[in-house]
Amino acid sequence: MIARRKIVAGNWKMNLLPAEADVLFKEINAANRALSCDLVVFPPAIYLQQFGGEKGTTFLGIQNFHPAKKGAFTGEISIAQVVGLKLNYVLIGHSERRIDFSESNSFIKEKVDAALQNDVKLIFCCGEPLEIRESGKHLDFVKEQLEASLFHISESEIRKVIIAYEPIWAIGTGRTASAAQAEEMHKGIRTLVEKKYGAKIAEEISILYGGSCNTSNAKELFSCPNVDGGLIGGAALEASSFLAIANSF
Ligand code: PEP
């Protein structure tokens, strides 16, 4: 059996002032070497430049970008503009982008293509709203998201992808998926990857859980055979909780 990469990623969203962000990044970066998983931090884009200069092993990612190379897109940033800043990852398909900024499956597909063209790894978020979970159609819903925006890419490209299952009803709500719910979905996603790309790739791809993951539930979630780490929001804003989660494998 292949040992998959374990990853804990922190999505800082639109939080932290420059000095606070600086302290947090330094604390995380200092502790990072002792961990058995990869750490990724998604700060507000404006901080990428200052963090990129720090020595250490924390990977950096951007929370959002526009898929076009350049052009009349006021307020947007292209990957080409940030790829020189030691950018390792991009976040695509987060439910806050899908819902609050009306990003469609086809726009998300364009972002996937843009990331791959710029040779950065991507964390592709998927997950169902509460009413879909309650209707029992959550696996179908996520399958549709993957087929609409991700499964058009090639075998060599899918190797640069990490999938994050983030049930919308669990994001920022304090309501976490149970280990059984997470494992059911992660296994379902891995089976879909296997059907599309074969058993070897399915075995290798890392699938993260996101949605109110914290120091109390990370151990149980990460002990599920198909959960390879977490995408963390609120609990990523303090080094102590973020690092405790990263120590939960
Ligand atoms: C997220 O926004 O990706 C997330 C998982 O947030 P939280 O951990 O706060 O639920």
Side-chain angles (χ1 to χ4, degrees), residues 11 13 94 96 166 170-173 210-213 231-235:
N11 176 11
K13 310 190 185 186
H94 193 282
E96 286 156 17
E166 297 208 301
I171 297 180
T173 59
S212 298
C213 183
L231 178 55
I232 318 298

Side-chain angles (χ1 to χ4, degrees), residues 173-185:
T173 59
R175 181 177 171 186
T176 318
S178 67
Q181 286 172 322
E183 175 58 18
E184 180 205 32
M185 179 60 82

Side-chain angles (χ1 to χ4, degrees), residues 225-240:
N226 285 290
V227 176
D228 306 308
L231 178 55
I232 318 298
L237 295 175
E238 282 190 11
S240 57

Side-chain angles (χ1 to χ4, degrees), residues 93-235:
H94 193 282
S95 62
E96 286 156 17
R97 300 288 327 163
R98 289 179 189 265
I99 297 166
D100 302 342
F101 299 93
S102 307
E103 290 195 4
S104 64
N105 280 336
S106 63
F107 189 70
I108 290 166
K109 183 179 182 188
E110 284 181 51
K111 292 176 91 169
V112 168
D113 292 337
L116 293 167
Q117 276 154 21
N118 284 280
D119 206 23
V120 284
K121 296 198 180 93
L122 62 103
I123 298 187
F124 181 91
C125 304
C126 54
E128 79 287 353
L130 187 58
E131 64 273 17
I132 297 288
R133 166 62 60 172
E134 286 173 345
S135 73
K137 301 235 162 65
H138 44 287
L139 289 165
D140 291 338
F141 185 91
V142 166
K143 179 172 184 256
E144 215 172 289
Q145 287 181 321
L146 295 171
E147 288 178 349
S149 312
L150 187 67
F151 279 1
H152 63 288
I153 67 177
S154 69
E155 277 184 25
S156 63
E157 289 171 331
I158 196 83
R159 290 174 190 276
K160 293 182 187 150
V161 175
I162 287 141
I163 297 174
Y165 168 56
E166 297 208 301
I168 298 170
W169 45 272
I171 297 180
T173 59
R175 181 177 171 186
T176 318
S178 67
Q181 286 172 322
E183 175 58 18
E184 180 205 32
M185 179 60 82
H186 283 229
K187 196 167 178 227
I189 292 172
R190 203 175 298 288
T191 304
L192 292 171
V193 174
E194 180 174 355
K195 283 194 185 132
K196 175 75 189 163
Y197 295 101
K200 185 166 186 298
I201 288 176
E203 191 56 38
E204 283 171 359
I205 196 163
S206 298
I207 307 176
L208 314 183
Y209 169 79
S212 298
C213 183
N214 58 38
T215 51
S216 316
N217 55 37
K219 227 182 189 65
E220 197 188 352
L221 286 161
F222 293 178
S223 68
C224 298
N226 285 290
V227 176
D228 306 308
L231 178 55
I232 318 298

